[in-house]
Amino acid sequence: MKTVEIFITGRVQRVGFRACVRRIATDLHVTGTVMNLPGGRVQIFATSDPMILEKFISLLYGCPRAIIRNLQTTDCISQSFEGFSIIKSEGRINTAL
């Protein structure tokens, strides 16, 4: 298992991008979190098999209404998550589908 941190810039806030990310992650059995950051960026932590993570990242570009201008991926220490959650801006976790 591998964990990556992903920063995404572009038109990725207020377009349903976080929900799309969670749907893709759930379909691929990727665990982690997605959160909006100040300045319009989105941060994702994702844990899965390296090949699945590659597919996950490539599918992010297909989220409707979102326009990804830059996607930066960094390997980080493997983390264990329970499912895939949207973290609200105030720091609350939303696990509802």
Side-chain angles (χ1 to χ4, degrees):
M1 294 299 241
K2 176 180 176 179
T3 300
V4 293
E5 180 180 29
I6 305 165
F7 287 102
I8 300 173
T9 58
R11 192 178 76 190
V12 289
Q13 290 191 9
R14 299 184 181 263
V15 294
F17 184 68
R18 291 178 300 166
C20 179
V21 171
R22 184 173 57 186
R23 275 192 301 278
I24 294 168
T26 301
D27 289 348
L28 295 176
H29 304 288
V30 172
T31 61
T33 62
V34 59
M35 176 175 67
N36 284 344
L37 297 175
R41 295 188 311 157
V42 170
Q43 178 188 42
I44 302 170
F45 283 100
T47 299
S48 189
D49 176 78
M51 294 294 285
I52 298 295
L53 287 174
E54 285 183 32
K55 183 172 185 174
F56 169 73
I57 292 166
S58 70
L59 289 173
L60 296 178
Y61 289 92
C63 286
R65 299 186 307 165
I67 298 172
I68 295 175
R69 296 202 197 293
N70 187 34
L71 186 147
Q72 178 185 1
T73 304
T74 306
D75 292 349
C76 49
I77 296 171
S78 187
Q79 298 181 44
S80 178
F81 297 94
E82 190 171 315
F84 197 92
S85 302
I86 294 173
I87 299 178
K88 298 291 186 180
S89 298
E90 307 86 46
R92 295 183 317 223
I93 296 177
N94 179 359
T95 57
L97 290 175

